[in-house]
């Protein structure tokens, strides 16, 4: 999982078109802050799928019950390169 800003800074995203495969946009609000929202992932068919949901909501609880895991702020980034902590006006991508 990475933010669009992190992908652009690493040269993996075109400013107009965004990142290309294998990166996929996680659907969610464009002003998500990780204080209120949880970035979730689940391994399926050899790749991770991602979701964004409000923390402590029924949807968050149902994803956890279905085997999804929450991605910590420290894990959001590209490989070992950790960018700045995700902030408002962030679009998340899953690889």
């Amino acid at each position: 999982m990475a933010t669009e800003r992190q992908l652009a800074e690493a040269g993996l995203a075109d400013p107009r078109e965004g990142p290309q495969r294998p990166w996929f946009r996680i659907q969610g609000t464009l002003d998500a802050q990780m204080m209120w929202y949880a970035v979730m992932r689940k391994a399926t068919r050899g790749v991770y799928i991602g979701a964004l949901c409000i923390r402590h909501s029924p949807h968050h609880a149902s994803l956890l019950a279905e085997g999804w895991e929450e991605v910590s702020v420290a894990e959001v980034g590209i490989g070992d390169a950790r960018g700045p902590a995700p902030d408002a006006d962030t679009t998340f991508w899953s690889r």
Side-chain angles (χ1 to χ4, degrees):
M1 306 291 183
T3 66
E4 189 166 8
R5 182 177 356 142
Q6 291 168 329
L7 293 170
E9 289 173 359
L12 298 173
D14 180 89
R16 290 186 312 251
E17 297 181 22
Q20 301 301 311
R21 288 184 178 183
W23 294 93
F24 295 94
R25 186 171 189 265
I26 295 176
Q27 294 294 89
T29 180
L30 294 177
D31 64 349
Q33 293 183 356
M34 289 188 74
M35 181 171 75
W36 302 111
Y37 288 84
V39 176
M40 307 294 288
R41 70 178 172 201
K42 183 176 185 178
T44 181
R45 299 184 192 166
V47 298
Y48 279 106
I49 56 175
L52 192 64
C53 65
I54 297 174
R55 290 182 189 280
H56 311 297
S57 68
H59 185 221
H60 182 246
S62 70
L63 290 176
L64 290 171
E66 293 173 8
W68 290 68
E69 63 180 325
E70 191 169 328
V71 179
S72 71
V73 172
E75 291 178 283
V76 175
I78 301 165
D80 293 330
R82 300 288 183 227
D87 200 355
D89 195 29
T90 300
T91 304
F92 291 93
W93 295 79
S94 175
R95 174 169 63 149

